[in-house]
Amino acid sequence: MNKSEGLSEQAGNETSDLSKARLRAWLQILKVSRKIEGELREKMRTEFDTTLPRFDVLAALYRERDGMRMSELSKSLMVSNGNVTGIVDRLVAEGLIVRMPVENDRRASIVRLTPAGEKDFAERALVHESWVSELFDDLSSSDADALIRILRNISHHNEAPHHD
Amino acid sequence: MNKSEGLSEQAGNETSDLSKARLRAWLQILKVSRKIEGELREKMRTEFDTTLPRFDVLAALYRERDGMRMSELSKSLMVSNGNVTGIVDRLVAEGLIVRMPVENDRRASIVRLTPAGEKDFAERALVHESWVSELFDDLSSSDADALIRILRNISHHNEAPHHD
DNA sequence: TGAAAATATTTCAAACCTAAAATATTTGTG
DNA sequence: CACAAATATTTTAGGTTTGAAATATTTTCA
């Protein structure tokens, strides 16, 4: 409840300078995020004839080469379960991934790349990285490190508290 | 084409350390952005019974108290024209904003807050700011400033080149 | 064992979002 | 003036996204 701001700065309802700076920071994160995401979406469409969500799923599966459960996938991408179902359906239809049964648990299924999906993603990942690097052309090495450090702090603080 | 990296680091196709650091930075931006956006969306739904996109439109109109054209709105929010049409339709139905004709241009319309919309937003904006500040609880004043500076650099570099 | 609770996923309705096509209006130009 | 080009917005089709409900299966425990 208390924001650990020392004194009674936050009493009543006037907002502190720190609170305003944090709001500005958030709006700026949102702005950059939308801009870059839009640019990447367009590249994906015009150059790869695919979409960002599909690419994100392939990327996650490329990191976990033995496959992931639907629930792991949705947690990793931070999107809802139902959302992943639709995207996976389309990628299966495209022959880039497959659904496999799980030993001893017929509720679950494991999704993993097909050889075609692996090949496709491997080729595209390098190009994708180069697009990102171009979009972040002005970002120096030290600023990149600072950015990563600060943002990691924020994500760690907002880590989902694990249920017991 | 050249990434101003001095030497032939980027020749062939192996990716540079800088390129990888930028990619990590981007993925971290995306992660924080999704996490925070998810938290705010849930707050909007459970506490305000509204959605983030609606709130964003009200916020934009609150800054431009005399109203904005649909096209200004979509540019400001960085979403497509058609998208704004739908959200505005719903906010009009809720009585929070109105569409007004524009003098001497019957193609355009100006959207602005109703008194009810103004009141609603003003009350909620403070609470929204406090949510953001809590989500960024670990973000110090100096880190907030650094974050804003670095991100502004990125957005400026990716500013849409204005047509003449 | 057998019912209740928990877990994994899909389905569903509604909203969001984009890109492209369609509509309506205004502007520019011969 | 006529009419092509430009501009502002809406409509449309299809994909994405959520949260809740539904389905199927597994686990827990009385």
Side-chain angles (χ1 to χ4, degrees):
Chain A
M1 206 102 260
N2 194 314
K3 288 245 231 19
S4 71
E5 284 212 60
L7 297 172
S8 55
E9 176 78 84
Q10 195 82 1
N13 220 335
E14 74 285 15
T15 56
S16 69
D17 284 353
L18 179 55
S19 159
K20 286 191 190 316
R22 286 170 175 161
L23 180 58
R24 274 197 305 278
W26 164 235
L27 294 177
Q28 200 63 43
I29 290 173
L30 207 51
K31 184 175 177 184
V32 167
S33 175
R34 283 196 188 168
K35 171 66 83 177
I36 302 294
E37 210 161 347
E39 302 280 355
L40 290 177
R41 180 186 4 265
E42 185 176 349
K43 287 282 198 185
M44 286 285 163
R45 186 174 52 82
T46 60
E47 316 261 316
F48 287 167
D49 190 33
T50 188
T51 66
L52 217 36
R54 280 159 160 92
F55 186 83
D56 288 344
V57 166
L58 296 183
L61 294 178
Y62 196 80
R63 279 192 297 273
E64 298 289 334
R65 221 57 80 80
D66 292 338
M68 299 170 83
R69 290 178 174 220
M70 295 297 285
S71 47
E72 292 176 312
L73 208 40
S74 70
K75 186 178 298 185
S76 151
L77 301 173
M78 292 195 290
V79 299
S80 67
N81 263 333
N83 186 1
V84 173
T85 296
I87 296 166
V88 163
D89 285 349
R90 290 177 200 109
L91 287 172
V92 168
E94 292 171 17
L96 300 177
I97 66 180
V98 284
R99 264 187 253 246
M100 299 181 319
V102 173
E103 286 274 310
N104 298 328
D105 192 343
R106 291 189 298 173
R107 295 169 302 180
S109 63
I110 283 187
V111 179
R112 59 171 295 171
L113 293 175
T114 61
E118 214 165 292
K119 183 165 171 293
D120 249 50
F121 180 79
E123 289 166 1
R124 293 172 169 184
L126 288 176
V127 180
H128 170 259
E129 182 179 324
S130 79
W131 291 342
V132 171
S133 189
E134 278 171 42
L135 290 166
F136 287 81
D137 207 22
D138 278 1
L139 187 65
S140 69
S141 180
S142 60
D143 275 356
D145 291 345
L147 197 53
I148 291 169
R149 176 188 62 77
I150 295 170
L151 292 173
R152 282 216 179 113
N153 245 3
I154 296 168
S155 2
H156 289 153
H157 177 260
N158 290 102
E159 209 70 12
H162 45 176
H163 309 280
D164 358 46
Chain B
M1 205 104 261
N2 194 314
K3 288 245 229 18
S4 72
E5 286 212 59
L7 298 172
S8 55
E9 175 80 81
Q10 196 81 2
N13 219 334
E14 74 285 17
T15 56
S16 69
D17 285 352
L18 179 55
S19 159
K20 285 190 190 315
R22 286 170 175 160
L23 180 57
R24 274 197 304 277
W26 164 235
L27 294 177
Q28 200 63 44
I29 290 172
L30 206 51
K31 185 176 177 184
V32 168
S33 175
R34 283 196 187 167
K35 171 66 82 177
I36 302 292
E37 209 161 349
E39 301 280 355
L40 290 178
R41 179 183 7 262
E42 185 176 348
K43 287 282 199 184
M44 286 285 164
R45 184 174 51 81
T46 59
E47 316 262 316
F48 287 168
D49 191 31
T50 188
T51 66
L52 217 36
R54 282 159 158 93
F55 187 82
D56 289 344
V57 166
L58 296 182
L61 295 178
Y62 196 80
R63 279 192 298 271
E64 297 290 332
R65 220 59 77 80
D66 293 337
M68 300 170 83
R69 290 177 173 224
M70 293 298 285
S71 47
E72 293 176 310
L73 208 40
S74 70
K75 186 178 299 185
S76 150
L77 301 173
M78 291 194 292
V79 298
S80 67
N81 263 333
N83 187 2
V84 174
T85 297
I87 297 167
V88 163
D89 285 349
R90 287 171 205 115
L91 286 171
V92 167
E94 292 173 17
L96 299 177
I97 66 180
V98 283
R99 263 187 253 246
M100 298 182 320
V102 173
E103 286 273 309
N104 298 328
D105 192 344
R106 291 188 299 173
R107 294 168 303 179
S109 62
I110 282 187
V111 179
R112 60 171 296 173
L113 293 175
T114 60
E118 214 164 292
K119 182 164 172 295
D120 250 49
F121 181 78
E123 289 167 1
R124 293 171 170 185
L126 290 177
V127 180
H128 171 258
E129 184 180 323
S130 78
W131 291 341
V132 172
S133 189
E134 278 172 41
L135 290 166
F136 286 82
D137 206 23
D138 277 2
L139 187 65
S140 69
S141 180
S142 61
D143 275 355
D145 291 345
L147 198 52
I148 291 169
R149 177 187 63 75
I150 295 171
L151 293 173
R152 281 216 179 111
N153 245 3
I154 298 168
S155 7
H156 289 153
H157 177 259
N158 289 100
E159 210 69 11
H162 45 178
H163 308 281
D164 2 43

